């Protein structure tokens, strides 16, 4: 249903990004990269949770070299996150990373950038040009202004200049881009603007999105809002805290937009003065009892027998709850009446018999 | 920064909706409306949490009459939620509700609808025409199709036909509209489409969004995404569970988009292999220590002294944490070094001295 922007396809290891490929979920390890055991453990647990691509920080040569030990022990491709230093990028590439993320604007000079690009080209890996508002360096004639519109122009123009240089001077087009700020509106404006001006795959996210309770809403707005407009090829929810939350929220966003299988999805009404049951309890019981069912089914659990049946008619299976009893529906047709306490169990039985 | 769609302005009690008014946050009581004490208690607690407009279910005459006792005891305007029955709407209007929400498609006949509109006109209150995908009745030539695009067309055309009838036949234009489904993409498509075809204020939300953990992401995408495009005048996050969560998430969405004062906002990085401190702990301490500060300030709490200072430079106040110590910054300029355990306290002192 979402008409996605046409972007060029690149590969991070064997994972395609862009060109109509499924939107991928990324995260970043929060361990010290040189602690190979801890980094491998965290990357594996993120992969199990559905992380498709993992990024690791490369603050020094030890971290860069550790990549050689990490890559063969994890099931997903690894991106080396580089700041400032061409040497670290070169070492990470030598260690077998599947992509590097750099911000050309914080490297020492263009000669260094050119060396990194040449190494990536030789290793046949892509580069993510990742520009954050905070890391934009004011340059002559490009004063960072406090006005938001100007930051958007500055960031978009900066990234496009980098890309042009990579393509024309270095003959390198294996590029993915990201433009992030800590502000939702600004980040969305950057991504909307640049999307119309190039065909590079877009990596979506925010910087400094805060702890999970703040990041969840902000990331859903930015990443989900842009994806709903067809923009974005790979996403990273960032939050201060457990990296598993990042992956969980990332998949929730994709699921909500139908950009990946949703599995069994429970819809439930907010309840109101018409409700005669503890609907939240019933919903939790249904979610728990159906957790093992790996089919794309929508189950609507509604709090009343007045609107419930009609509202639930679009779901494959519905339950409209009255006092003590719930009516089981299939595509709006009554199946049977079950006691409230038996709703979860009856639903599972019914779905398994379908 | 968000360029909002131009909509006509209506008033729910003394609260303006549309026409450039601040976006309002709504919720709905989950008590039995006729239990006046419980309903008043819940409405008041929602108002304290920032709910601007409250809706109550009116499933029967007792509920409709209870409105007369509720309205004078709560500090925010009340919308009566009516289904099927003109009598309930008339009774709710007589009881002093500040608006009624109806779905003309589920009322008995047009005569009944006309009676409700006439009463609203006489009482000088607006009507919300609220159409949910589940409550759309298939009509001759308007078959509900399983194809999503068709549901969008059906809902948008249906609402516009209702509005046209209200305006032309009944001479009533004091209208607000909502189009909700349980699907994020479908709901966004409905709202985007209808926004270009009328100037009625838009009430944003989803139906059957599920329990809070599902609703938070889905509602943020839909409500936040649409608001970021300039659409929407009033919002309701619905979730199965505590109504306070609905209001909390609603305000988070508005805050993230700069559509209302954010107060003190803490930005924090997700941390990575460069981090030498327990940043989540520091962020929680900072949030707790600054909770009483009622000023619009951004505080960036960054996990390293490498990117931290640059990334934090756009915030008024920043802390870049190294092993054991943090550097306090003001607009990117170093102020002083403080021990990690004293960061929260130092920040508060510094902000209070600003």
């Amino acid at each position: 249903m979402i008409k996605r922007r046409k972007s060029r396809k690149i590969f991070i290891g064997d994972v395609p990004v862009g060109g109509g490929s499924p939107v991928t979920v990324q995260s970043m390890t929060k361990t010290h990269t040189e602690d190979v055991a801890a980094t491998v453990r965290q990357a594996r647990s993120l992969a199990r949770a559905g992380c498709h691509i993992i990024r690791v920080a490369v603050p020094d040569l030890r971290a860069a070299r550790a990549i050689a030990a990490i890559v063969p022990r994890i099931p997903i491709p690894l991106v080396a996150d580089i700041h400032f230093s061409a040497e670290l990028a070169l070492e990470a590439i030598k260690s077998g990373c599947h992509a590097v993320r750099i911000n050309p604007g914080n490297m020492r000079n263009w000669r260094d950038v050119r060396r990194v690009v040449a190494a990536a080209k030789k290793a046949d890996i892509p580069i993510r040009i990742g520009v954050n508002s905070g890391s934009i360096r004011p340059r002559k004639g490009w004063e960072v202004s406090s006005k938001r519109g100007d930051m958007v122009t500055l960031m978009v123009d900066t990234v496009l200049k980098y890309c042009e240089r990579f393509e024309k001077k270095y003959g390198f087009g294996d590029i993915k881009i990201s433009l992030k700020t800590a502000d939702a509106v600004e980040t969305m404006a950057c991504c909307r603007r640049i999307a119309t001006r190039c065909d590079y795959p877009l990596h979506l996210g925010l910087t400094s999105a805060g702890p999970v309770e703040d990041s969840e809403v902000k990331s859903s707005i930015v990443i989900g809002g842009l994806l709903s407009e067809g923009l974005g090829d790979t996403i990273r929810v960032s939050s201060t805290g457990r990296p598993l939350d990042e992956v969980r929220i990332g998949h929730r966003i994709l699921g909500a937009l139908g950009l990946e299988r949703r599995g069994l999805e429970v819809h439930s009404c907010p309840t109101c003065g018409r409700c005669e049951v503890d609907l939240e309890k019933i919903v939790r019981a249904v979610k728990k009892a159906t957790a093992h069912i790996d089919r794309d089914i929508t189950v609507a659990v509604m709090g009343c027998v007045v609107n419930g049946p009609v509202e639930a008619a679009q779901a494959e299976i519905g339950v409209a709850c009255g006092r003590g009893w719930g009516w089981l529906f299939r595509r709006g047709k009554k199946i049977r009446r079950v006691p409230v306490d038996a709703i979860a169990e009856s639903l599972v039985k019914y779905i398994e018999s379908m």
Side-chain angles (χ1 to χ4, degrees), chain A:
Chain A
M1 175 65 172
I2 294 176
K3 195 166 168 277
R4 291 177 62 197
R5 162 181 173 261
K6 283 211 169 85
S7 58
R8 73 175 67 169
K9 188 187 276 190
I10 65 164
F11 281 87
I12 318 279
D14 55 1
V15 176
V17 173
S21 311
V23 178
T24 41
V25 173
Q26 307 205 18
S27 187
M28 192 165 174
T29 50
K30 304 189 176 192
T31 53
H32 288 138
T33 307
E34 68 272 21
D35 182 345
V36 172
T39 305
V40 165
R41 203 179 315 122
Q42 191 166 77
R44 281 186 185 164
S45 96
L46 289 166
R48 272 195 304 276
C51 179
H52 302 115
I53 297 164
I54 190 75
R55 185 155 48 112
V56 302
V58 184
D60 53 36
L61 279 175
R62 281 174 65 213
R65 287 179 190 132
I67 289 172
I70 296 165
V71 162
R73 294 172 62 194
I74 61 173
I76 51 175
L78 178 148
V79 180
D81 192 66
I82 309 288
H83 287 273
F84 313 117
S85 159
E87 275 60 44
L88 295 179
L90 298 177
E91 192 67 29
I93 294 171
K94 212 163 79 183
S95 296
C97 66
H98 301 96
V100 286
R101 177 265 169 124
I102 61 169
N103 174 1
N106 73 19
M107 304 205 78
R108 212 165 34 189
N109 52 44
W110 285 117
R111 221 187 118 258
D112 271 12
V113 175
R114 181 194 282 268
R115 286 166 63 214
V116 175
V117 175
K121 199 172 178 180
K122 200 170 156 214
D124 194 21
I125 61 168
I127 293 179
R128 169 177 149 209
I129 297 180
V131 170
N132 297 351
S133 55
S135 63
I136 280 257
R137 295 280 170 95
R139 281 161 196 249
K140 229 193 290 182
W142 286 4
E143 290 295 294
V144 174
S145 151
S146 63
K147 273 178 282 170
R148 201 186 265 165
D150 294 353
M151 176 53 89
V152 173
T153 305
L154 180 63
M155 285 181 66
V156 169
D157 289 353
T158 301
V159 170
L160 289 174
K161 269 173 206 239
Y162 294 155
C163 294
E164 198 189 338
R165 193 179 187 104
F166 277 41
E167 296 263 10
K168 297 211 172 138
K169 284 215 167 145
Y170 310 152
F172 187 87
D174 202 5
I175 297 169
K176 173 178 76 150
I177 55 180
S178 66
L179 296 91
K180 301 183 179 182
T181 83
D183 183 273
V185 176
E186 203 166 65
T187 302
M188 294 177 93
C190 284
C191 294
R192 285 170 180 150
R193 180 102 57 95
I194 207 159
T196 64
R197 293 177 60 188
C198 65
D199 76 340
Y200 302 111
L202 268 174
H203 167 116
L204 304 182
L206 288 150
T207 60
S208 308
V212 65
E213 68 273 15
D214 298 325
S215 171
E216 184 158 7
V217 166
K218 224 167 162 177
S219 302
S220 298
I221 296 173
V222 171
I223 297 174
L226 291 168
L227 285 172
S228 84
E229 297 170 17
L231 308 184
D233 300 285
T234 183
I235 67 173
R236 189 222 173 167
V237 173
S238 82
S239 80
T240 313
R242 300 188 326 141
L244 281 173
D245 285 331
E246 301 184 354
V247 174
R248 178 181 57 76
I249 297 169
H251 282 290
R252 283 236 166 96
I253 294 172
L254 296 185
L257 290 165
L259 288 169
E260 65 177 22
R261 283 192 58 207
R262 304 181 201 201
L264 187 141
E265 198 179 26
V266 177
H267 292 179
S268 61
C269 78
T271 79
C272 67
R274 296 179 192 93
C275 185
E276 304 283 354
V277 295
D278 182 347
L279 196 72
E280 191 179 4
K281 195 175 149 195
I282 296 172
V283 169
R284 302 240 168 260
V286 168
K287 284 186 81 166
K288 198 172 160 193
T290 56
H292 66 287
I293 299 177
D294 183 34
R295 283 156 68 178
D296 292 328
I297 302 176
T298 306
V299 178
V301 183
M302 311 302 290
C304 75
V305 284
V306 184
N307 304 322
V310 189
E311 294 266 342
Q314 287 177 303
E316 280 90 333
I317 311 287
V319 197
C321 303
R323 195 187 298 254
W325 295 87
W327 272 103
L328 203 63
F329 288 81
R330 168 120 194 222
R331 291 216 164 277
K333 288 206 172 60
K334 271 187 193 177
I335 302 291
R336 72 173 75 96
R337 208 173 79 142
V338 288
V340 157
D341 291 341
I343 284 175
E345 193 194 336
S346 301
L347 268 173
V348 172
K349 267 197 201 148
Y350 186 76
I351 293 167
E352 285 176 342
S353 77
M354 266 163 62

